Amino acid sequence: MSEVDRAYVVSLTIPDNEAYTALTTLARMGLPVERAVRADVWIVNLDPARAADVDATVPTLEGIFNPNKHRLEIRSDALPRPGEVWIMPRDERPAITIGGRAVEGVRGVRRCTAWRLLDAHGGDVAPALLARATEMFLCNPAFQEAIS
Amino acid sequence: MSARVAVVVFPGTNSEDETLRALTAVGLDAEIVHWSRGAAGLRPFDAYVLPGGFSYEDRVRAGAVAAHDEAMDAVIAGAQAGKYVLGICNGAQTLLEAGLVPGTGPLRRPTAAFAPNASGKFQSLHVHVRLNVPPGRVPMLASLPPDCVIPAWASHGEGRLAATEAELDRMEREGHIAFVYCDARGADVPAPNGSARGAAALTNAAGNVLAIMPHPERAERAIYAPSGGIVFFAAFAAALAGAVAR
């Protein structure tokens, strides 16, 4: 039976207080970051024959997506973009529901958090700085892994 | 002179009242100190207790933001100077994220985690925990009898000790696992949250920092059946009295 991974990346269009708190902490640590951008990522292992149905269903799942305050990006490669790091639990078993609902065609769901750190010009910070922020704060390697 | 204990409150802490009540019930001079008083406001205290709750709304990771708060500079300095530091539940998560327990790595670079429960859910249930090291290994509880069993309430979503096998071996070998889950008679039981090695609490090498996930303060009074958690705080008070007298 063939399977495929897809990422549903949900970010806030309203101010993200958690990202702001992270930014404040990074500043206190002396890391020169101007803005922190965060997104919830749902990595869904699915039956490719049902991919279009799942794509259509996810935006209706109120538990993870509210069009009044969220933006949804669907990534067919289920990979972080350049400048992005995904923080993922290392040993969590995949769930079989997404947003608390069973969706036909979904075989497994893993959840992680995507972070991007921006400099004063609005561009991504240097990879070394992102790696340092990840190592010092964003990821606890005892139970999480950072994927970039 | 009696010891002065700061009950350190961060935004989102929610167990400060019952923690303060347990500390004062055993005769300690304790007061609630908000994070906004900063490290300077905390330095004069003889000991620190970080209560449970959801500091900074568990943003990024439970305890991670509080661990980097400026107020924690005083707690870390105090711990390094030998002051007693007790963290309960979210306070325990904060001490772990601050690197104070097990204390086997650099400060604020945790070598272990209180990770999400194996169930994936927040759990609230009555438990018992047993002292897993000789009482003298944790000076703040030195007057407890060996293998002492303490009732408490586990009430957390992230209380599962996680670390590499090598680090877990080290924690076990060097006596960092201060309490383990048990039944009312002290027999081992599987940790309800899936915690590695059955761990319910961690201490540092010197034994002056203790991070315990279940809440003994919620089993402090007789109205909270079954009660008995007060013995934990009585031992803490006895140790502090001795420390201040020295």
Side-chain angles (χ1 to χ4, degrees), chain B residues 208-222:
Chain B
N208 66 313
V209 181
L210 180 71
I212 182 166
M213 281 308 302
H215 295 259
E217 82 282 9
R218 292 188 189 171
E220 168 241 340
R221 295 202 290 188

PDB file of all heavy atoms in Angstrom, chain B residues 208-222:
ATOM      1  N   ASN B 208      20.960  19.744  47.052  1.00  0.00           N
ATOM      2  CA  ASN B 208      20.272  20.928  47.590  1.00  0.00           C
ATOM      3  C   ASN B 208      19.199  21.454  46.647  1.00  0.00           C
ATOM      4  O   ASN B 208      18.537  22.443  46.947  1.00  0.00           O
ATOM      5  CB  ASN B 208      21.269  22.048  47.907  1.00  0.00           C
ATOM      6  CG  ASN B 208      21.937  22.594  46.662  1.00  0.00           C
ATOM      7  OD1 ASN B 208      22.398  21.826  45.811  1.00  0.00           O
ATOM      8  ND2 ASN B 208      22.001  23.905  46.540  1.00  0.00           N
ATOM      9  N   VAL B 209      19.053  20.823  45.486  1.00  0.00           N
ATOM     10  CA  VAL B 209      17.980  21.183  44.554  1.00  0.00           C
ATOM     11  C   VAL B 209      17.134  19.932  44.330  1.00  0.00           C
ATOM     12  O   VAL B 209      17.681  18.853  44.061  1.00  0.00           O
ATOM     13  CB  VAL B 209      18.547  21.685  43.208  1.00  0.00           C
ATOM     14  CG1 VAL B 209      17.406  22.073  42.269  1.00  0.00           C
ATOM     15  CG2 VAL B 209      19.500  22.863  43.415  1.00  0.00           C
ATOM     16  N   LEU B 210      15.835  20.086  44.464  1.00  0.00           N
ATOM     17  CA  LEU B 210      14.937  18.951  44.261  1.00  0.00           C
ATOM     18  C   LEU B 210      13.799  19.376  43.348  1.00  0.00           C
ATOM     19  O   LEU B 210      13.152  20.401  43.587  1.00  0.00           O
ATOM     20  CB  LEU B 210      14.364  18.464  45.596  1.00  0.00           C
ATOM     21  CG  LEU B 210      13.409  17.269  45.494  1.00  0.00           C
ATOM     22  CD1 LEU B 210      14.168  15.988  45.124  1.00  0.00           C
ATOM     23  CD2 LEU B 210      12.648  17.054  46.800  1.00  0.00           C
ATOM     24  N   ALA B 211      13.575  18.598  42.313  1.00  0.00           N
ATOM     25  CA  ALA B 211      12.488  18.862  41.365  1.00  0.00           C
ATOM     26  C   ALA B 211      11.540  17.685  41.409  1.00  0.00           C
ATOM     27  O   ALA B 211      11.884  16.579  40.990  1.00  0.00           O
ATOM     28  CB  ALA B 211      13.058  19.031  39.956  1.00  0.00           C
ATOM     29  N   ILE B 212      10.344  17.913  41.950  1.00  0.00           N
ATOM     30  CA  ILE B 212       9.381  16.815  42.115  1.00  0.00           C
ATOM     31  C   ILE B 212       8.132  17.108  41.291  1.00  0.00           C
ATOM     32  O   ILE B 212       7.572  18.207  41.374  1.00  0.00           O
ATOM     33  CB  ILE B 212       9.060  16.575  43.615  1.00  0.00           C
ATOM     34  CG1 ILE B 212       8.102  15.390  43.771  1.00  0.00           C
ATOM     35  CG2 ILE B 212       8.508  17.816  44.295  1.00  0.00           C
ATOM     36  CD1 ILE B 212       8.007  14.870  45.207  1.00  0.00           C
ATOM     37  N   MET B 213       7.714  16.156  40.490  1.00  0.00           N
ATOM     38  CA  MET B 213       6.549  16.392  39.623  1.00  0.00           C
ATOM     39  C   MET B 213       5.215  16.326  40.370  1.00  0.00           C
ATOM     40  O   MET B 213       4.407  17.238  40.232  1.00  0.00           O
ATOM     41  CB  MET B 213       6.558  15.417  38.445  1.00  0.00           C
ATOM     42  CG  MET B 213       7.523  15.797  37.321  1.00  0.00           C
ATOM     43  SD  MET B 213       7.365  17.508  36.704  1.00  0.00           S
ATOM     44  CE  MET B 213       5.652  17.557  36.189  1.00  0.00           C
ATOM     45  N   PRO B 214       4.915  15.295  41.153  1.00  0.00           N
ATOM     46  CA  PRO B 214       3.625  15.305  41.860  1.00  0.00           C
ATOM     47  C   PRO B 214       3.627  16.352  42.981  1.00  0.00           C
ATOM     48  O   PRO B 214       4.683  16.762  43.461  1.00  0.00           O
ATOM     49  CB  PRO B 214       3.513  13.892  42.437  1.00  0.00           C
ATOM     50  CG  PRO B 214       4.532  13.086  41.738  1.00  0.00           C
ATOM     51  CD  PRO B 214       5.624  14.027  41.368  1.00  0.00           C
ATOM     52  N   HIS B 215       2.440  16.740  43.385  1.00  0.00           N
ATOM     53  CA  HIS B 215       2.263  17.835  44.357  1.00  0.00           C
ATOM     54  C   HIS B 215       2.058  17.291  45.771  1.00  0.00           C
ATOM     55  O   HIS B 215       0.925  16.929  46.116  1.00  0.00           O
ATOM     56  CB  HIS B 215       1.014  18.644  44.008  1.00  0.00           C
ATOM     57  CG  HIS B 215       1.069  19.376  42.715  1.00  0.00           C
ATOM     58  ND1 HIS B 215       1.324  20.728  42.642  1.00  0.00           N
ATOM     59  CD2 HIS B 215       0.893  18.960  41.446  1.00  0.00           C
ATOM     60  CE1 HIS B 215       1.296  21.113  41.364  1.00  0.00           C
ATOM     61  NE2 HIS B 215       1.038  20.058  40.623  1.00  0.00           N
ATOM     62  N   PRO B 216       3.062  17.293  46.643  1.00  0.00           N
ATOM     63  CA  PRO B 216       2.794  16.908  48.035  1.00  0.00           C
ATOM     64  C   PRO B 216       1.957  17.960  48.758  1.00  0.00           C
ATOM     65  O   PRO B 216       1.243  17.635  49.716  1.00  0.00           O
ATOM     66  CB  PRO B 216       4.193  16.793  48.663  1.00  0.00           C
ATOM     67  CG  PRO B 216       5.111  17.533  47.758  1.00  0.00           C
ATOM     68  CD  PRO B 216       4.484  17.532  46.401  1.00  0.00           C
ATOM     69  N   GLU B 217       2.016  19.200  48.304  1.00  0.00           N
ATOM     70  CA  GLU B 217       1.248  20.259  48.989  1.00  0.00           C
ATOM     71  C   GLU B 217      -0.251  20.086  48.769  1.00  0.00           C
ATOM     72  O   GLU B 217      -1.047  20.620  49.528  1.00  0.00           O
ATOM     73  CB  GLU B 217       1.716  21.650  48.538  1.00  0.00           C
ATOM     74  CG  GLU B 217       1.141  22.175  47.240  1.00  0.00           C
ATOM     75  CD  GLU B 217       1.781  21.568  45.994  1.00  0.00           C
ATOM     76  OE1 GLU B 217       2.555  20.606  46.133  1.00  0.00           O
ATOM     77  OE2 GLU B 217       1.478  22.037  44.885  1.00  0.00           O
ATOM     78  N   ARG B 218      -0.632  19.350  47.746  1.00  0.00           N
ATOM     79  CA  ARG B 218      -2.065  19.128  47.521  1.00  0.00           C
ATOM     80  C   ARG B 218      -2.576  17.942  48.342  1.00  0.00           C
ATOM     81  O   ARG B 218      -3.762  17.662  48.340  1.00  0.00           O
ATOM     82  CB  ARG B 218      -2.352  18.910  46.037  1.00  0.00           C
ATOM     83  CG  ARG B 218      -2.120  20.169  45.244  1.00  0.00           C
ATOM     84  CD  ARG B 218      -2.567  20.042  43.815  1.00  0.00           C
ATOM     85  NE  ARG B 218      -2.117  21.201  43.062  1.00  0.00           N
ATOM     86  CZ  ARG B 218      -2.198  21.316  41.750  1.00  0.00           C
ATOM     87  NH1 ARG B 218      -2.724  20.337  41.039  1.00  0.00           N
ATOM     88  NH2 ARG B 218      -1.759  22.404  41.142  1.00  0.00           N
ATOM     89  N   ALA B 219      -1.647  17.245  48.989  1.00  0.00           N
ATOM     90  CA  ALA B 219      -2.040  16.167  49.901  1.00  0.00           C
ATOM     91  C   ALA B 219      -1.648  16.555  51.324  1.00  0.00           C
ATOM     92  O   ALA B 219      -1.347  15.722  52.150  1.00  0.00           O
ATOM     93  CB  ALA B 219      -1.369  14.858  49.502  1.00  0.00           C
ATOM     94  N   GLU B 220      -1.651  17.872  51.567  1.00  0.00           N
ATOM     95  CA  GLU B 220      -1.129  18.374  52.836  1.00  0.00           C
ATOM     96  C   GLU B 220      -2.149  18.288  53.953  1.00  0.00           C
ATOM     97  O   GLU B 220      -1.837  17.968  55.084  1.00  0.00           O
ATOM     98  CB  GLU B 220      -0.689  19.844  52.619  1.00  0.00           C
ATOM     99  CG  GLU B 220      -0.377  20.634  53.870  1.00  0.00           C
ATOM    100  CD  GLU B 220      -1.297  21.837  54.016  1.00  0.00           C
ATOM    101  OE1 GLU B 220      -1.908  22.283  53.035  1.00  0.00           O
ATOM    102  OE2 GLU B 220      -1.397  22.323  55.151  1.00  0.00           O
ATOM    103  N   ARG B 221      -3.399  18.580  53.673  1.00  0.00           N
ATOM    104  CA  ARG B 221      -4.399  18.663  54.736  1.00  0.00           C
ATOM    105  C   ARG B 221      -5.333  17.460  54.738  1.00  0.00           C
ATOM    106  O   ARG B 221      -5.553  16.833  53.708  1.00  0.00           O
ATOM    107  CB  ARG B 221      -5.229  19.943  54.565  1.00  0.00           C
ATOM    108  CG  ARG B 221      -4.374  21.188  54.758  1.00  0.00           C
ATOM    109  CD  ARG B 221      -5.190  22.366  55.114  1.00  0.00           C
ATOM    110  NE  ARG B 221      -6.001  22.840  54.017  1.00  0.00           N
ATOM    111  CZ  ARG B 221      -6.690  23.978  54.067  1.00  0.00           C
ATOM    112  NH1 ARG B 221      -6.650  24.738  55.137  1.00  0.00           N
ATOM    113  NH2 ARG B 221      -7.420  24.354  53.055  1.00  0.00           N
ATOM    114  N   ALA B 222      -5.897  17.216  55.902  1.00  0.00           N
ATOM    115  CA  ALA B 222      -6.750  16.040  56.062  1.00  0.00           C
ATOM    116  C   ALA B 222      -7.964  16.081  55.141  1.00  0.00           C
ATOM    117  O   ALA B 222      -8.495  15.051  54.759  1.00  0.00           O
ATOM    118  CB  ALA B 222      -7.198  15.926  57.510  1.00  0.00           C
TER     119      ALA B 222
END
